[in-house]
Structures are given as structure tokens and as C-alpha cells.
Amino acid sequence: MRLTMFTDYALRVLMYAGMAGDRLITIEETAKVYGISRAHLMKVVNILTKGGYLQGVRGRSGGFRLAMPPEQINLGAVVRATEPDFALVECFATGNQCIISRCCRLPNVLNEALNSFVATLDRYTVADLMFSQNAFNRSQASETVMRGPDFLAADARS
């Protein structure tokens, strides 16, 4: 499973806005900090504002900030609001043409896995992701580190 860039950007925007506290931040500032497209961020901020996660302030000195304390912004809810679908396999989507759909047991297993994934996100909030302003300083960035699944650690716990 892979989250869309839209959801990735949404989580990053919320983390940055959380770090800023009550200070208004702009799309331009956020795009510069992350080195990502202003156009993409405009769409993300619009959806997060409509969803009640961000508060937008119009005008010359406007911007946006969190609409509620970071402890109240649930990651599972954000992912559900920003992901277009959770169709892990063809039979989860509209227009399914798989010939074994009637008897296949794979969807049950994948639904269980998907529910576990979202349940894990439901246990965390934006506050759990926050760190200091210094982390956004590009000159202090360390070497690129690949991060991802730690299946070996999961196997060791079994």
C-alpha cells in the first residue's frame, strides 16, 4: 500500500502548521521549506481548510494555521479525508472484472490488514509528529536516509 503524494503533503502541512503554533504561515513559505510545488500545496491547504483541520485567513497578511490543537487532529481521520480510495486490489474498486471475486478470500485478508493500518493511524495525532523549527533548516539536513518498512523487526517480535 502506498499513500498518495496528496496525503503525504497534507500530513507535512499539518506538521509544519503545528510547529508554527498561532503564527500564520503561507503556502509560499511551506512550499519553500519542503521544496515542493506551490500549486499542489494550494489544493492540499484548500482540502484541509474545508475539512476543518486548517483555518485560513484571507488578505495581504493572511495565511493559515491549525484550526484546532494538534492533539485533536487525528491522523487516521486526515488520511481518510485525503486518500481518494483504499482499493488495494481490483475487486475493491468500481468496475471489478476479476473472475474469482465471488469465491476469493484475499479481500477478507486485505480488509483486515487495511483496518489494522488505519487503526494504527487512529492512535496518533499531529502532536505525536511535531518537532522543533530547527528541523526545517535545510543547512542542518543530514545525509539522505532511506526509511520504510522494518519487516525484520516485525518478524523478530513474532
Side-chain angles (χ1 to χ4, degrees):
M1 175 172 180
R2 182 181 200 138
L3 296 177
T4 61
M5 280 194 334
F6 192 91
T7 298
D8 179 15
Y9 291 173
L11 294 170
R12 291 196 222 182
V13 164
L14 293 171
M15 290 165 54
Y16 190 67
M19 175 280 312
D22 285 336
R23 179 176 71 83
L24 288 175
I25 57 175
T26 65
I27 290 171
E28 290 78 14
E29 173 187 347
T30 309
K32 184 177 178 183
V33 164
Y34 284 122
I36 56 182
S37 162
R38 180 185 181 280
H40 280 87
L41 284 181
M42 285 178 61
K43 295 173 192 171
V44 169
V45 168
N46 186 35
I47 292 295
L48 292 174
T49 301
K50 286 180 180 178
Y53 300 108
L54 294 176
Q55 173 190 36
V57 177
R58 293 186 181 270
R60 189 178 147 136
S61 53
F64 62 90
R65 64 178 148 241
L66 293 182
M68 61 187 88
E71 297 83 11
Q72 294 178 9
I73 302 176
N74 180 273
L75 299 184
V78 172
V79 168
R80 284 193 227 26
T82 56
E83 277 298 303
D85 65 54
F86 288 94
L88 298 179
V89 289
E90 179 186 355
C91 62
F92 283 19
T94 306
N96 171 31
Q97 296 294 311
C98 181
I99 63 169
I100 61 171
S101 290
R102 289 188 318 265
C103 59
C104 183
R105 295 182 181 144
L106 181 60
N108 296 335
V109 174
L110 293 177
N111 270 323
E112 182 180 342
L114 183 58
N115 286 329
S116 294
F117 174 76
V118 175
T120 298
L121 291 172
D122 283 338
R123 294 195 321 254
Y124 295 94
T125 67
V126 169
D128 295 313
L129 304 179
M130 291 174 49
F131 38 81
S132 73
Q133 171 75 37
N134 266 355
F136 293 97
N137 185 349
R138 284 199 181 268
S139 66
Q140 292 183 0
S142 61
E143 64 188 56
T144 303
V145 177
M146 282 297 292
R147 296 175 22 161
D150 189 0
F151 295 124
L152 294 177
D155 291 341
R157 289 189 294 262
S158 299

